Amino acid sequence: MTEPARILVVGGGYVGMYTALRLQRQLRAELRAGTAEIVVVTPEPYMTYQPFLPEAAAGSISPRHVVVPLRRVLDRCRIVIGEVRSVDHAKRTATLATLATAEEGTGAVDLTYDELVLAPGSVSRTLPVPGLLDHGIGFKTVEEAIGLRNHVIEQMDIASSTRDPAIRDAALTFVFVGGGYAGVEALAELEDMARYTARYYHNLKPEDLRWVLVEASDRILPEVGAEMGRYAIRELRGRNIDVRLETRLESCEDRVAVLSDGTRLPTRTVVWTAGVKPAPVLAATDLPLNERGRLRCTSRLAVEGVEHAWAAGDAAAVPDVTAEEPGRECAPNAQHAVRQAKVLAENITASLRGQPLKEYEHAYAGSVASLGLHKGVAHVYGRKLKGYPAWLMHRAYHLSRVPTFNRKARVLAEWTLSGLFKREIVSLGSLEHPRAEFELAAAPPPDHGDKPSS
């Protein structure tokens, strides 16, 4: 018997999940007959719908509804929880480490394949800022989003109970670095949540909290256009949010954020959202990369100059055939990733069946961004919206895009309930250290010396 054609999908994010989902539908007959196999290697057993992270941080959506369980959705695929460390495409071999290999102590194992889909996504692009490694907080995963929510509420608890004005001021100062979607939406949603939460503290007022947005360029939210970007700045500043344009974070050592304009901000919260870079695994392959470390791809989503290798999303430099300027590439965003995954799956199926491939062609539809509850900006198909209509469009668009009817129904139900009842303002920071209380109880009692005899 011949071995089934193995399609290896590296990554379980937008591209990885949507590509595998479409492949298992298109190759249903081959999967049933055992002539094809789809293997998805991913560090986490779920796909995170990142546009909902700000709302999860603000408590509008439960964290479990921001993620999609891969084993349930990709029921005809083999899911391997692990990380691909390197790829030798010349030998059609990927080296990966799994939870089992860590337990066994055997080291990484090799997995052969016939078709390769590289969709590992991206990681935070950091800079050598002193103190960032020790004090910075990211905002790319659901764990980081919920951790940041807990952190903000804990800082309010500290400020409410301390008698030291310096500690109070530092606890109530929140610095966000990066004026893109992640930074602006995270700051706006959390500021909204914290302002509401302050009413339940006897000695805190919303104006006691200081929120600072630091952006190196001269604008924020460039995807929604200059006019809507200026409106967003006015909206944020109208809420006493300090927006610093053409400013960089120079240092955050000793819990003091030093900005390039000379400002020094004692703070216990520095959130870093200043861009992303391709996943490190791309550098550990024998596939062609461009100057930014992304895979060189054709408009058919095949890796340039290589057979049986495909890529899309953040990891791929895909030519934009709809652009007026030659040489332009598709932006590494969710809008392109979801649509590229559809074409990618169709092209892999066509390649296996000896059929012609199609080009990825998609005109940019526009962008929407939330600025907190009932506030937003949008620039969609040439139309510019702001305020409540833009916020409503933001919710409607992302509700339509979140995978599975199950998740759509749960998110819609939570939005409905949040409109009927008060916000959740509970910090569950202890979830990050679940064994702490047991370890304290199990520890031997302190030795206070010999007790006097009776």
Side-chain angles (χ1 to χ4, degrees):
M1 295 178 62
T2 59
E3 291 290 326
R6 177 177 291 160
I7 303 170
L8 175 61
V9 180
V10 179
Y14 287 107
V15 174
M17 193 202 76
Y18 279 107
T19 299
L21 181 62
R22 198 164 187 87
L23 279 172
Q24 73 175 11
R25 292 172 181 168
Q26 295 179 331
L27 298 175
R28 187 179 292 108
E30 288 86 344
L31 292 172
R32 189 181 299 116
T35 59
E37 179 188 23
I38 304 170
V39 180
V40 180
V41 179
T42 173
E44 305 292 345
Y46 52 80
M47 187 274 270
T48 302
Y49 191 73
Q50 290 185 335
F52 279 160
L53 288 183
E55 292 204 48
S60 299
I61 302 177
S62 173
R64 68 182 185 278
H65 298 155
V66 178
V67 299
V68 180
L70 295 178
R71 295 189 189 278
R72 177 183 296 176
V73 176
L74 305 178
D75 56 338
R76 299 186 189 94
C77 301
R78 176 184 162 200
I79 308 297
V80 178
I81 306 304
E83 294 184 8
V84 171
R85 299 287 176 83
S86 62
V87 174
D88 187 344
H89 190 66
K91 297 180 179 178
R92 303 286 192 277
T93 301
T95 302
L96 60 128
T98 68
L99 296 177
T101 59
E103 290 290 332
E104 296 165 354
T106 56
V109 296
D110 290 340
L111 180 68
T112 59
Y113 59 84
D114 298 283
E115 301 285 339
L116 174 67
V117 178
L118 271 172
S122 57
V123 298
S124 295
R125 176 174 58 84
T126 59
L127 298 175
V129 175
L132 184 62
L133 178 62
D134 297 322
H135 304 298
I137 304 172
F139 199 79
K140 273 189 65 64
T141 68
V142 68
E143 293 85 359
E144 288 175 326
I146 304 309
L148 181 57
R149 168 189 169 80
N150 293 334
H151 174 82
V152 168
I153 297 177
E154 285 172 1
Q155 297 312 302
M156 296 177 70
D157 290 335
I158 291 172
S160 176
S161 57
T162 185
R163 296 182 179 181
D164 188 326
I167 293 177
R168 176 187 170 96
D169 290 345
L172 296 180
T173 300
F174 307 95
V175 179
F176 286 67
V177 183
Y181 277 122
V184 172
E185 291 192 334
L187 183 151
E189 291 283 356
L190 283 165
E191 188 274 339
D192 221 6
M193 181 270 294
R195 182 159 27 88
Y196 176 88
T197 305
R199 70 177 66 181
Y200 295 100
Y201 290 82
H202 71 283
N203 58 351
L204 290 184
K205 300 187 295 294
E207 50 268 29
D208 293 336
L209 282 69
R210 184 177 186 183
W211 300 82
V212 183
L213 177 63
V214 179
E215 168 54 39
S217 70
D218 61 351
R219 59 196 292 192
I220 66 171
L221 297 175
E223 297 87 351
V224 299
E227 181 182 344
M228 291 296 96
R230 289 192 294 270
Y231 168 80
I233 292 175
R234 291 196 302 271
E235 167 67 27
L236 294 176
R237 286 175 173 167
R239 290 155 57 180
N240 291 322
I241 296 173
D242 186 358
V243 181
R244 304 284 184 101
L245 301 179
E246 298 183 283
T247 307
R248 298 178 307 278
L249 177 68
E250 299 285 353
S251 169
C252 57
E253 289 182 305
D254 301 321
R255 294 191 179 276
V256 176
V258 180
L259 308 184
S260 58
D261 60 5
T263 304
R264 296 175 62 86
L265 299 169
T267 178
R268 300 168 63 90
T269 309
V270 175
V271 183
W272 183 269
T273 63
V276 296
K277 63 182 180 181
V281 67
L282 299 184
T285 72
D286 53 352
L287 300 171
L289 306 178
N290 69 1
E291 63 281 358
R292 295 185 178 181
R294 300 167 70 194
L295 290 163
R296 295 184 182 274
C297 293
T298 68
S299 58
R300 293 177 175 82
L301 304 177
V303 177
E304 195 174 89
V306 179
E307 294 183 344
H308 309 293
W310 315 80
D314 292 351
V318 179
D320 187 351
V321 298
T322 64
E324 297 179 0
E325 303 175 20
R328 289 284 299 273
E329 297 175 355
C330 295
N333 57 33
Q335 184 179 148
H336 281 296
V338 174
R339 290 168 173 80
Q340 286 174 356
K342 176 182 176 181
V343 177
L344 178 54
E346 292 175 352
N347 281 349
I348 293 173
T349 302
S351 175
L352 292 173
R353 295 174 178 172
Q355 299 170 350
L357 310 182
K358 63 166 64 174
E359 286 190 331
Y360 172 71
E361 182 177 349
H362 170 65
Y364 191 58
S367 298
V368 291
S370 169
L371 299 178
L373 192 63
H374 300 158
K375 299 173 283 289
V377 290
H379 189 182
V380 181
Y381 294 117
R383 293 180 176 271
K384 299 173 183 177
L385 299 173
K386 56 188 178 183
Y388 185 83
W391 173 83
L392 194 61
M393 177 175 285
H394 174 271
R395 282 203 160 182
Y397 174 78
H398 286 300
L399 183 65
S400 71
R401 293 299 172 185
V402 68
T404 76
F405 177 78
N406 180 310
R407 283 294 175 273
K408 295 180 197 296
R410 291 178 183 273
V411 169
L412 184 59
E414 286 203 307
W415 281 342
T416 303
L417 292 173
S418 65
L420 297 174
F421 301 101
K422 295 180 179 180
R423 278 180 184 258
E424 293 290 344
I425 59 168
V426 177
S427 166
L428 296 176
S430 59
L431 288 176
E432 298 163 31
H433 308 284
R435 295 188 67 249
E437 185 174 349
F438 180 79
E439 289 174 351
L440 182 63
D447 184 6
H448 297 297
D450 296 333
K451 294 182 180 180
S453 59
S454 56

